[in-house]
Amino acid sequence: MNPYIIAARKTIESQYDAKCDVVEKRPKEVNNITKNIEETVLIDKDCRVSFEDIYVNTETDTEAKKIQKIKLFIAPELDIKPGSKIVVTRKGRTTEYKNSGEPAIYDTHQEIILELWKGWA
């Protein structure tokens, strides 16, 4: 692998200040009945969550609506499916999020847009 990519990845990963678990709903047969159950597929992975406030003009243009964009940075080789529950623990606080779409995958990391968890769809 390219030494510059390795150095860039180490730099990015040195900023990780949280851990996360990834939970998926998977079919499982119980007493001849298939049920979707929660299954933790990744445990205690290093990550970082960033928050960005975006101001959007409303129809009246007299006030701006604030939207918070939440982004997860994590290792590129991890497979995190859209719709997964992502449980992030940072500075003693645990927050549940939902992976809201396909990740942007780079050589050094992947970026996943998150939403606050509201339950399984």
Side-chain angles (χ1 to χ4, degrees):
M1 183 180 251
N2 183 326
Y4 295 109
I5 292 173
I6 292 170
R9 181 170 176 171
K10 285 183 180 182
T11 300
I12 289 169
E13 289 178 347
S14 72
Q15 300 297 309
Y16 290 175
D17 60 354
K19 297 279 188 180
C20 72
D21 297 339
V22 177
V23 180
E24 294 177 0
K25 264 211 161 170
R26 293 189 167 179
K28 184 172 184 178
E29 191 171 312
V30 179
N31 298 328
N32 295 327
I33 298 172
T34 302
K35 295 182 177 186
N36 286 325
I37 61 158
E38 286 189 10
E39 184 176 332
T40 303
V41 295
L42 297 171
I43 298 171
D44 210 27
K45 298 297 177 183
D46 291 326
C47 64
R48 180 176 182 88
V49 177
S50 75
F51 301 90
E52 177 183 355
D53 290 335
I54 300 171
Y55 293 91
V56 180
N57 286 334
T58 61
E59 290 180 13
T60 63
D61 286 333
T62 58
E63 64 180 67
K65 181 179 179 184
K66 185 169 103 171
I67 300 171
Q68 189 173 57
K69 185 176 179 182
I70 307 167
K71 192 183 293 187
L72 177 75
F73 294 82
I74 196 162
E77 65 273 3
L78 301 176
D79 183 23
I80 301 175
K81 296 182 174 120
S84 298
K85 181 196 301 186
I86 301 172
V87 183
V88 177
T89 302
R90 181 176 172 264
K91 296 187 179 187
R93 291 186 169 192
T94 300
T95 307
E96 294 180 339
Y97 298 99
K98 173 185 175 184
N99 174 356
S100 65
E102 292 292 330
I105 301 175
Y106 304 98
D107 289 335
T108 54
H109 68 287
Q110 63 179 303
E111 298 176 12
I112 301 171
I113 302 299
L114 301 177
E115 299 173 6
L116 286 174
W117 180 256
K118 295 176 185 158
W120 294 106

